[in-house]
């Protein structure tokens, strides 16, 4: 695996692959890789000849009350995992390379509607930062396909909308969430959890699965959501939000909707956990 810290060298390599008629897949990450990230690389191998990954802790998607400096960075271990997974190239830019004018003077990308609510409401500006960095990385790598984990369900919808709206010739491949044996969705932020909190955290998904089961026969969303919230809080977490939404538009679900997604976020100690469950009621 070749590691690139500058745009020109990476583009030269990708250009050489293009001249050979090879297909390029891209897996953008913020590092601190776990099995969920590696599953994206494994999926990418099914769709392309060469795999490019990136590791960049993006300052634009962190809020004023979120400490980017404490975000775990494990570059050496990450590189070994990517090599083992058969990654061909790794892009490791610095903030100065990505945002040479500074964040306050950087052109940005806003994706309306699907960025609103949920994590967009809890973390103002977050999805502007996500869309901007992904757009910029897409322009640098120019992949044929890109893989994103469905744990960040709203993020996937934001990126898919951006690609469609801006006519980018990139296929977005959503990859199912990897989970611990307890049901907890794998996340770099799970590193913030103490042993006691690791025992509590799976109750987020447990409450969501309870809600999903109820939705098979009931449409009293308000009452059911309130009961699910009580289950999360009673387990020792603090619910940020839990909603039942249309799976594609993310608008609040209506009784006639058949394709739904339960979106939830909760604070467990220092960690803010997110999860989702998709439902097809046809």
């Amino acid at each position: 695996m070749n590691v690139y810290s500058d745009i020109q060298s990476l583009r030269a390599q990708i250009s050489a692959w293009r001249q050979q008629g090879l297909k390029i897949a891209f897996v953008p990450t913020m590092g601190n890789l776990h099995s969920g990230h590696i599953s994206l690389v494994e999926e990418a191998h099914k769709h392309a000849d060469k795999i490019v990954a990136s590791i960049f802790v993006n300052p634009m998607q962190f809020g004023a009350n979120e400490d980017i400096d404490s975000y775990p960075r494990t570059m050496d271990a990450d590189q070994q995992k990517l090599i083992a997974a058969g990654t061909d190239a790794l892009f490791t830019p610095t903030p100065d390379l990505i945002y040479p004018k500074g964040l306050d003077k950087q052109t940005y990308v806003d994706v309306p509607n699907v960025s609103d609510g949920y994590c967009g409401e809890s973390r103002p500006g977050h999805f502007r930062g996500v869309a901007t960095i992904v757009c910029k990385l897409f322009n640098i790598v120019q992949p044929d396909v890109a893989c994103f984990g469905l744990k960040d369900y709203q993020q996937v919808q934001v990126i898919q909308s951006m690609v469609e709206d801006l006519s980018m010739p990139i296929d977005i491949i959503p990859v199912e969430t990897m989970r611990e044996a307890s049901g907890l969705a794998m996340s770099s932020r799970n590193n913030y959890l103490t042993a006691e909190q690791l025992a509590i955290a799976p109750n987020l998904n447990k409450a969501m699965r309870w809600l999903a089961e109820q939705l098979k026969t009931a449409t009293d969303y308000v009452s059911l959501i309130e009961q699910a919230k009580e289950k999360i809080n009673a387990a020792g977490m603090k619910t940020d939000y839990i909603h039942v939404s249309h799976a594609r538009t993310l608008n609040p679900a209506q009784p006639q909707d058949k394709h739904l997604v339960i979106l939830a976020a909760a604070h467990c100690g220092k960690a803010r956990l997110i999860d989702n469950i998709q439902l097809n009621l046809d």
Side-chain angles (χ1 to χ4, degrees):
M1 180 180 74
N2 293 323
V3 181
Y4 301 92
S5 58
D6 68 287
I7 295 171
Q8 185 176 359
S9 298
L10 177 63
R11 280 180 166 166
Q13 176 61 82
I14 292 171
S15 177
W17 288 335
R18 291 282 183 208
Q19 290 174 11
Q20 298 172 45
L22 300 177
K23 194 171 182 180
I24 311 298
F26 182 43
V27 179
T29 81
M30 293 209 302
N32 194 225
L33 304 183
H34 51 68
S35 297
H37 295 108
I38 300 307
S39 75
L40 304 181
V41 178
E42 293 170 347
E43 182 66 28
H45 278 293
K46 301 176 184 177
H47 303 274
D49 304 297
K50 295 293 183 180
I51 313 301
V52 179
S54 66
I55 294 177
F56 178 64
V57 181
N58 177 31
M60 189 181 282
Q61 69 191 69
F62 283 79
N65 60 338
E66 298 173 338
D67 188 1
I68 186 173
D69 293 331
S70 69
Y71 192 86
R73 292 163 171 82
T74 53
M75 181 64 76
D76 290 344
D78 291 348
Q79 290 193 30
Q80 293 307 310
K81 290 175 183 178
L82 290 172
I83 290 170
T87 309
D88 297 283
L90 173 62
F91 184 43
T92 58
T94 62
D96 287 343
L97 181 71
I98 296 295
Y99 304 122
K101 298 177 182 177
L103 294 182
D104 58 333
K105 296 180 181 177
Q106 167 68 38
T107 298
Y108 59 81
V109 179
D110 252 332
V111 182
N113 301 321
V114 292
S115 292
D116 301 334
Y118 318 117
C119 285
E121 181 177 347
S122 297
R123 305 179 68 189
H126 171 68
F127 286 119
R128 172 187 287 186
V130 168
T132 300
I133 187 56
V134 171
C135 182
K136 183 150 189 173
L137 290 171
F138 280 174
N139 283 330
I140 292 169
V141 178
Q142 298 188 357
D144 299 289
V145 302
C147 296
F148 291 87
L150 278 168
K151 180 184 75 72
D152 297 296
Y153 189 92
Q154 188 176 9
Q155 173 177 279
V156 173
Q157 303 308 310
V158 168
I159 292 166
Q160 287 181 323
S161 294
M162 178 187 73
V163 166
E164 293 167 6
D165 293 349
L166 300 182
S167 302
M168 295 179 175
I170 303 170
D171 290 331
I172 303 301
I173 301 171
V175 181
E176 289 298 325
T177 303
M178 293 284 287
R179 298 185 181 277
E180 307 289 354
S182 64
L184 176 65
M186 290 185 180
S187 171
S188 297
R189 287 184 167 83
N190 292 351
N191 291 327
Y192 297 145
L193 298 172
T194 65
E196 181 181 0
Q197 291 160 355
L198 275 170
I200 294 171
N203 285 289
L204 174 61
N205 184 254
K206 184 177 179 181
M208 295 171 69
R209 285 188 283 111
W210 174 86
L211 178 55
E213 191 63 31
Q214 306 310 306
L215 291 174
K216 294 178 181 179
T217 55
T219 56
D220 185 3
Y221 300 141
V222 174
S223 175
L224 291 173
I225 288 170
E226 193 60 34
Q227 292 178 64
K229 186 183 299 184
E230 290 173 0
K231 290 178 181 292
I232 295 167
N233 294 340
M237 288 176 281
K238 181 180 179 182
T239 304
D240 184 344
Y241 64 78
I242 181 165
H243 294 288
V244 181
S245 306
H246 186 282
R248 184 64 181 92
T249 66
L250 301 190
N251 291 329
Q254 303 300 314
Q256 68 271 20
D257 291 339
K258 299 300 182 182
H259 303 286
L260 307 177
V261 61
I262 300 170
L263 299 167
H267 295 276
C268 186
K270 291 170 56 179
R272 181 178 178 275
L273 309 176
I274 63 172
D275 203 347
N276 65 85
I277 294 178
Q278 297 176 66
L279 283 173
N280 188 338
L281 300 180
D282 284 338

